[in-house]
Amino acid sequence: MNFQDTATRFERAESGTDSFKILAKDAYQAMKDDPGNAGLYFVIGVAAQSYVRRYEDQGVAPEFADKAKATLVGYNAKIVEALAADTGNRLRLLGEVALHYEWQVQDF
């Protein structure tokens, strides 16, 4: 499975923590399968895993889960775009995802 397939599967999945778990697992597996792009997958894996660790044993409002999922769907789209880009744009897109996650996402 390539990361485009992973991203599509996550986008079509429910907003529950199980979907985030699968995304994290797939992102970490992609690191092994495509080590040249491991940084791209790592940032997704960390974000998804962080959501799972924080909310797995809690009930969350559907709106909150949907918002978190939408954030990851957006990140996935940037990573898919980065995978098709030249090195400079790849790094720029990775930086955009990392900066947004670090400074704009407070909930997970």
Side-chain angles (χ1 to χ4, degrees):
M1 177 182 303
N2 63 39
F3 192 76
Q4 173 66 52
D5 295 337
T6 296
T8 299
R9 184 170 65 180
F10 180 73
E11 186 173 5
R12 292 179 180 162
E14 297 294 324
S15 298
T17 54
D18 286 346
S19 298
F20 287 82
K21 279 184 198 178
I22 292 167
L23 177 61
K25 180 183 76 74
D26 289 349
Y28 291 134
Q29 183 61 49
M31 290 174 65
K32 291 178 185 177
D33 296 341
D34 183 14
N37 291 306
L40 298 171
Y41 309 125
F42 182 74
V43 72
I44 296 299
V46 165
Q49 187 175 46
S50 179
Y51 181 89
V52 171
R53 285 182 177 165
R54 188 155 185 189
Y55 298 109
E56 182 173 30
D57 296 332
Q58 299 179 32
V60 298
E63 299 81 17
F64 177 81
D66 290 343
K67 182 181 174 190
K69 182 181 172 200
T71 297
L72 269 287
V73 166
Y75 291 169
N76 286 345
K78 284 192 183 249
I79 297 305
V80 168
E81 181 182 348
L83 289 166
D86 60 67
T87 303
N89 283 321
R90 186 173 295 179
L91 289 173
R92 178 185 56 78
L93 289 162
L94 174 58
E96 288 177 13
V97 171
L99 285 169
H100 187 271
Y101 181 68
E102 177 62 25
W103 299 109
Q104 302 298 316
V105 177
Q106 307 301 317
D107 297 321
F108 63 96

